[in-house]
Amino acid sequence: MSGDTPVEAPAGEWSPALTTVRADALDCLQANLAVLADHAHGGGAHLALGAPVGFETTPAGPEQRLAEAEELLGLRVTARRDKADGPLVRELLRDHAVLYVVGNAYTMPWVPYAGHDHMEHSFLLTADDADTEAGTVTVIDAYHNDTPWGSARPGVWRLPAADLDAVLATGCTALSLDATPPPALDATAVLAANAAAMSAAGPRVDAYVTAMGEALGDPDALDALVLDVWVLGRARTLHAAWLGTVPGVSADAAEEQAQAWRRYAAHTYVAARRARRGGAVPASVIDQLDRLLRTDIELARQLAAREAPLDPRAVVVEELCAVLGADVAGLPAGAPLRDLPQFNSFRLVDVIERVETRLGVTLDPEALREDSFDTVDTLCRLFAAPAAVEEAS
């Protein structure tokens, strides 16, 4: 290559996506699929990658990540070239505005693995001008990680065509992806599937913890554990971030669990370094692993078994019945509230406050109009309208 380090470039149109992507929760194949999703669909679209969660310690390969991107993000492969070199990739750039490329990190000078470690790594590629033979190309890479050779952080770099050819000298897979509308996920079904998958993984978890305990003094086994924990920790972090977007679901416990995995990652790294120097590794490393995995399973079950969101209409009717002592549920649609026995403005206030408490909302004062209290239906609509309520603090 013409230089040791490529020239950094302005992020331009990719800046918003590079800002919104949770790069610290993604692996090197997911990170740039996430950029494509947020660039096409808006910030946070990529978090759907965190919807499924299970017990998988083996890093996923490109085919799995591409399948997930289509299923969860709507990113569909429209063109693909395997074993492609630089000239072929630059030829593809003439017909496609951006390419998703998977190559060898060993030859990519913008990541710390360059010259140190052979591993699959993705990046996005765009052409700076029509002349891809003599011109330059732009690399977008959202990967975020700390390594023994330095830190990888999201960024944009400009490469001469000859330097791109050197990066891809050992071959790559280059793809064009079309951003179709992402599917609407059924959170209840997703959480139920997660609980089933985690519960079914119980025997594998038992075997895994036992095997790691038996290999506790083996430096190679501890190095493998460090990688496993990295994979599990990122998956838990991404899952917690997705849960934070699901209405009616608290992500607090999942975020606490993700933080526990991140702390454990540091614990295992120190233990692995100590083992390499011949030091003893405390049994607490395995005890903590066992606790974290058991908590993963229990958390998945709790999320799936959470109470279904309350139906605002049902709550309004129940509270009218309770406050007025009348069978409101049997009233004809549109029956005036003022005709109900015991109804007056004081009882109405009681009903509103009780419904607000049960639903955990506070009515927007701007939504309180006189005709909102005319009938059971209008009162129900007042609480059912998203714009009419704000979350109670």
Side-chain angles (χ1 to χ4, degrees):
M1 294 185 64
S2 60
D4 293 333
T5 305
V7 176
E8 291 193 43
E13 66 175 300
W14 298 97
S15 180
L18 286 172
T19 301
T20 58
V21 162
R22 279 294 305 269
D24 62 323
L26 301 162
D27 65 32
C28 62
L29 299 176
Q30 292 173 312
N32 296 304
L33 293 168
V35 171
L36 289 175
D38 278 21
H39 184 257
H41 302 308
H46 72 285
L47 295 177
L49 290 173
V53 68
F55 174 62
E56 300 296 339
T57 59
T58 303
E63 302 311 317
Q64 179 178 335
R65 291 309 189 207
L66 288 168
E68 292 166 350
E70 180 171 6
E71 178 185 358
L72 299 168
L73 305 179
L75 298 179
R76 182 173 55 86
V77 175
T78 57
R80 175 171 180 156
R81 297 292 185 276
D82 294 311
K83 300 180 180 178
D85 58 8
L88 178 55
V89 169
R90 288 188 281 109
E91 183 180 334
L92 280 174
L93 274 177
R94 295 180 185 142
D95 299 321
H96 304 282
V98 58
L99 295 176
Y100 174 80
V101 181
V102 178
N104 188 350
Y106 189 87
T107 61
M108 300 177 186
W110 62 89
V111 295
Y113 305 105
H116 296 287
D117 197 3
H118 294 274
M119 58 183 291
E120 288 182 313
H121 189 88
S122 77
F123 60 92
L124 302 180
L125 192 66
T126 65
D128 295 330
D129 48 54
D131 185 3
T132 58
E133 294 295 331
T136 59
V137 295
T138 295
V139 167
I140 302 104
D141 190 349
Y143 189 52
H144 181 293
N145 196 24
D146 296 314
T147 80
W149 311 288
S151 297
R153 293 294 183 267
V156 179
W157 297 268
R158 187 160 290 139
L159 273 67
D163 286 6
L164 176 67
D165 291 354
V167 167
L168 303 180
T170 57
C172 73
T173 295
L175 309 101
S176 174
L177 294 99
D178 184 27
T180 64
L185 296 180
D186 182 341
T188 299
V190 169
L191 294 175
N194 289 344
M198 291 298 293
S199 295
R204 290 195 294 121
V205 167
D206 292 340
Y208 177 76
V209 172
T210 298
M212 283 298 173
E214 292 172 348
L216 187 58
D218 181 352
D220 291 337
L222 281 168
D223 286 343
L225 176 62
V226 169
L227 178 58
D228 291 351
V229 170
W230 186 92
V231 171
L232 290 166
R234 293 224 164 185
R236 274 62 181 153
T237 299
L238 187 59
H239 184 58
W242 172 74
L243 284 172
T245 70
V246 179
V249 176
S250 172
D252 292 348
E255 178 54 39
E256 290 178 9
Q257 179 71 349
Q259 291 176 8
W261 275 106
R262 291 194 289 272
R263 291 192 296 269
Y264 182 59
H267 189 185
T268 56
Y269 182 73
V270 170
R273 291 290 297 268
R274 182 175 297 159
R276 285 289 173 195
R277 297 194 304 269
V281 178
S284 60
V285 170
I286 302 303
D287 294 338
Q288 192 173 357
L289 174 65
D290 186 61
R291 284 195 299 272
L292 284 169
L293 290 171
R294 304 297 167 200
T295 302
D296 280 348
I297 295 172
E298 181 57 30
L299 178 59
R301 291 170 176 165
Q302 290 174 359
L303 286 167
R306 77 193 193 286
E307 290 187 5
L310 292 172
D311 175 13
R313 181 179 182 84
V315 173
V316 169
V317 170
E318 288 172 8
E319 294 306 328
L320 280 169
C321 291
V323 172
L324 303 179
D327 182 14
V328 177
L331 286 177
L337 285 172
R338 63 178 177 273
D339 291 346
L340 295 173
Q342 309 300 322
F343 179 82
N344 58 44
S345 58
F346 299 105
R347 296 295 178 87
L348 176 62
V349 171
D350 287 343
V351 169
I352 290 174
E353 290 180 347
R354 288 168 65 121
V355 174
E356 285 180 327
T357 298
R358 286 187 59 188
L359 295 180
V361 299
T362 301
L363 286 176
D364 182 351
E366 296 295 326
L368 301 180
R369 301 186 304 272
E370 185 175 352
D371 59 0
S372 300
F373 313 119
D374 286 346
T375 68
V376 175
D377 285 348
T378 57
L379 186 58
C380 289
R381 285 198 294 271
L382 183 64
F383 280 97
V389 296
E390 54 188 28
E391 293 294 331
S393 57

